[in-house]
Amino acid sequence: MSTIYDIDKMETLRRQAAVQPHGMKRFRNALFKNGQSWDAALEVLPEEGRALFSEQIVPECLELRERHDSAVDGASKLIFQTKDGHLIESVVLRPRTGRTSICISSQVGCACYCSFCATGKMGFTRNLASAEILDQVTQANRLLKSEGRVIRNVVFMGMGEPLLNLNEVFASVDFLTAVPFFNLSGARVTVSTVGIPDAMACFTGRFPSVRLALSLHSARQEVRERLMPQARRFPLDMLRGALVNAAGNGTVMIEYLMLLGVNDGPEDLAALVEYLGDIPVHINIIPFNEYAGCSLQGTPQSGREHFANELKAAGFDTTLRYSLGSDIAAACGQLVKHKKEQMHGTG
Ligand code: SF4
């Protein structure tokens, strides 16, 4: 059986059922732009088309297992189960600025083992297929329809390192930005990476207008290695060339998670300012969601504000991000980790 993301199969069925191109366009819009259910989308097709598509297409690759809504800030965490029984997370964010966003997963678990990340403590299971990546967006749109919302921004910042699943992530970004499907502009799609220079070059070559976010978290090599083991393979000096190349398109964000006593001191600030130099980037200062099993603590808000103000004074475009979904364990991987522990009796 094929999925709704199999473009060739959908076109073959369209021809077999003699659905006119404008009818197919309405069908695609119902599925990908308007958050309609599968049954409602089928209604726009002629009758013989409905039967054929129903027989040969699987409308969903993931099963929504749980939904946790924040009581404080409009975030919702969704836990999906893949057909082979793995759990992944997505987080819907409804910021006050109005643009509904979704943070999606690209892998089951992760092989990068960042010390601050709950997903990193699970190990790696497998890559997600592009259909499984895209289904997180489609299903979130269906949930949001009753609120009159639609996903406006997609961020690859959930479980997994997207640039270690290059083919499937590239296929997903193609689908998200294609006019006939989700039709999101490159500025509305962000792919976040721990920093894999070759893959970053490949990404920016293929998608020059799509945003790339580099999880830097420290411009001091020894600190970065402690936080992110991948930094040993891809040290800061190697990463800088890829960063300069990517920033040439004006689409790079620097993610900086602030950890108390780890990367928030004057020497960290000085190293960051020196490392970034005149590279045209936007810096995002991120609060840390503390969780059981991780001894790291977040820098208090006053410390984050001071750090951000110093960066602004040094001429960097800087944003202070506020935590969303802290009451629903919105940090990447927390809920799935907890659920797996419950299932295996260790929670
Ligand atoms: S922060 Fe991202 S890359 Fe690092 S372990 Fe977690 S999911 Fe993997």
Side-chain angles (χ1 to χ4, degrees), residues 268-311:
D268 300 293
L269 183 66
L272 184 59
V273 169
E274 188 188 338
Y275 182 72
L276 293 176
D278 57 2
I279 307 175
V281 292
H282 183 111
I283 304 173
N284 226 339
I285 300 295
I286 311 170
F288 178 59
N289 279 329
E290 294 169 19
Y291 60 94
C294 180
S295 57
L296 293 164
Q297 291 175 284
T299 304
Q301 187 171 326
S302 58
R304 300 199 304 272
E305 284 173 358
H306 171 73
F307 206 85
N309 288 338
E310 292 291 314
L311 287 170

Side-chain angles (χ1 to χ4, degrees), residues 110 112-114 116-117 119-120 158-161 194 332:
C110 185
C112 291
Y113 301 100
C114 301
F116 48 81
C117 173
T119 301
M159 296 170 72
E161 163 53 54
V194 292
C332 166

Side-chain angles (χ1 to χ4, degrees), residues 181-198:
F181 303 109
F182 288 99
N183 192 23
L184 296 173
S185 75
R188 301 237 174 274
V189 178
T190 304
V191 173
S192 174
T193 177
V194 292
I196 301 168
D198 286 353

Side-chain angles (χ1 to χ4, degrees), residues 142-213:
R142 282 184 199 150
L143 291 175
L144 290 165
K145 185 166 173 55
S146 61
E147 302 171 27
R149 290 175 182 269
V150 69
I151 297 288
R152 297 274 179 219
N153 293 293
V154 176
V155 185
F156 286 74
M157 219 177 265
M159 296 170 72
E161 163 53 54
L163 297 191
L164 290 178
N165 184 13
L166 224 44
N167 289 343
E168 300 301 317
V169 167
F170 278 15
S172 310
V173 174
D174 272 333
F175 204 96
L176 288 168
T177 53
V179 174
F181 303 109
F182 288 99
N183 192 23
L184 296 173
S185 75
R188 301 237 174 274
V189 178
T190 304
V191 173
S192 174
T193 177
V194 292
I196 301 168
D198 286 353
M200 286 168 68
C202 200
F203 177 85
T204 46
R206 171 87 176 262
F207 301 109
S209 64
V210 175
R211 279 176 187 271
L212 187 67

